[in-house]
Each structure stands twice: as structure tokens, then as C-alpha cells.
Amino acid sequence: MTGTGILKGMAVTARNFVGSYFEKERLTTVQYPEERSPLPENYRNFPFLIFDDNDPHAGLRCVACKICEKECPPQCIYIVKSDDKKPDYMGKPQFYPKVFDIDISVCMSCQICVEVCPFEAIKMDKEFELSQRERFDHLLWRKEQLSKSNEYYHKIHPVEAETVDKSLADAAAAAEAKKKAAAEAAAKAAAAKAAAAAATAAKPPADGPSPSPASS
């Protein structure tokens, strides 16, 4: 019958329209800002930097490798590497960003910086209420504004953060095991060398050639 598809479509539209007024689970309007809809875990807005423990400087995971700066499509990340080093989560001395700026007025929330970071140092935030009265300086976020704790990361992305922590813990354990194995191998080599030296020192000297008999 001609027009059946149109009638079915209109019936679906009418059902959804009426249901949006009477079905509680269908009511999508909230009285913002008094009421707020919960954001899904995979929601992302702008990047932030993660630090471990309580010190945003000593615990900052970023080592100023500048990969995110190079890969950023709108080029909104600016990094200056430090002159000195500090130990990372595995105790290895690493550089850190003396300057780390993100221009969030340019950032397109593509998450490429997160994907290319080899140190799990930069992640996507859920904060979206970022309106400012001034367009330029107030939308240029410095390292101090970008640095947030690992606890905050667990709060907004619990499943992802747990996976990242496990990965970092496994990497630290593997590095520690490798370091321990190298130390044990060095100790064994030193012991073997010392035993060989001791055996050489204790060995009696070889007898020299017998003197020829005196001619008569």
C-alpha cells in the first residue's frame, strides 16, 4: 500500500514525542546548572598532565620528549625541556618539562597526544565549563593548571586508569627484575674471576729444565 512506510515512520515519531513527556527514563532535559547529567567514562574534552603521589613536580610523568608537541595537528602544545633531570617512576633520571602550555582555544580534542605518549603522562579530562572573559591568556593553560593527580584520573576514568597503573607497575617490575638479574650476573662473574685468580695464585710453580751434567 502506498504511503505505509510514511505512516509507520510517523507512528514512531508520535510515540517518541508523547513518551518524551510521560516516560521518566525518556526525560532528557535537566535543570542545568543545578542538575547535571552524568558523563560517560569515555567522554573526553581537553588534555591534562598526570602526576603520582602528592608532588606535582617530582611526581610528574612527563619527560618532555616532545612527541605530543610534534604530533599535535593544530600545534597547540608548547614544551621547553628542563636542563636538569629527576627520577621517574622506575627511578631512572629523566628530563621534565620546564614549560608545558596548551592553548585550549585551539585544541580540537582529537586525543592524538594521549595516543602517542609513551609514558602515560597525558590524558583527556572531562571538564567542559571553561568559559572565560578573556580569549587569549586565560585560555592558555600552563603546566600548573594542567597537572592533576593520579587519584583524579582514577575518579574520572576508573577502568582506564586501573589498566594504565597495571601497565606501569608491570613495566617497573620488569625493569627491576632486569636490574636484579644484571646485578646477580655481575656478582657471579666477579666471584668466578676472583676464584680463578685465587686458583692461579695457589698453583705451585712448574719445575724448570734439569741442569745439564758437568762435562768430565
Side-chain angles (χ1 to χ4, degrees):
M1 180 179 176
T2 305
T4 302
I6 296 177
L7 293 175
K8 289 182 179 179
M10 292 299 293
V12 172
T13 302
R15 186 168 62 251
N16 288 330
F17 175 76
V18 174
S20 65
Y21 283 92
F22 299 101
E23 298 175 13
K24 186 176 181 179
E25 63 275 8
R26 299 280 312 284
L27 298 177
T28 56
T29 302
V30 295
Q31 301 303 313
Y32 180 86
E34 290 78 12
E35 299 178 9
R36 298 169 185 250
S37 298
L39 298 173
E41 181 172 351
N42 60 352
Y43 176 88
R44 65 174 188 245
N45 203 22
F46 294 111
F48 70 97
L49 298 174
I50 298 180
F51 66 86
D52 295 305
D53 299 325
N54 299 318
D55 191 336
H57 173 70
L60 196 66
R61 294 179 183 177
C62 178
V63 300
C65 65
K66 296 190 176 184
I67 295 177
C68 58
E69 181 186 57
K70 295 174 184 177
E71 297 295 331
C72 178
Q75 297 293 290
C76 66
I77 300 176
Y78 176 69
I79 302 172
V80 176
K81 184 184 293 186
S82 64
D83 299 321
D84 58 328
K85 294 184 177 182
K86 66 178 181 63
D88 63 2
Y89 67 97
M90 293 191 295
K92 182 180 178 182
Q94 297 279 9
F95 289 104
Y96 59 90
K98 182 163 59 175
V99 175
F100 196 118
D101 297 341
I102 295 181
D103 188 348
I104 62 172
S105 68
V106 178
C107 177
M108 52 192 273
S109 302
C110 63
Q111 198 174 269
I112 290 179
C113 56
V114 176
E115 295 173 358
V116 300
C117 180
F119 298 95
E120 304 288 359
I122 187 167
K123 298 297 178 182
M124 301 301 287
D125 207 342
K126 286 187 175 184
E127 183 63 38
F128 60 89
E129 297 172 312
L130 304 174
S131 60
Q132 302 287 344
R133 291 185 176 274
E134 296 184 19
R135 177 180 177 185
F136 297 103
D137 187 61
H138 287 193
L139 293 177
L140 182 64
W141 282 18
R142 314 291 183 178
K143 182 176 70 172
E144 293 73 23
Q145 294 170 283
L146 294 169
S147 300
K148 297 185 179 181
S149 67
N150 191 34
E151 287 74 17
Y152 174 79
Y153 180 39
H154 275 265
K155 182 180 178 180
I156 62 173
H157 298 298
V159 177
E160 180 183 295
E162 185 177 352
T163 303
V164 169
D165 279 1
K166 184 179 184 304
S167 175
L168 294 177
D170 291 344
E176 184 64 26
K178 185 177 180 180
K179 183 178 179 181
K180 184 177 179 181
E184 291 176 354
K188 288 181 180 179
K193 186 176 181 180
T200 302
K203 185 177 180 181
D207 296 334
S210 300
S212 57
S215 55
S216 54

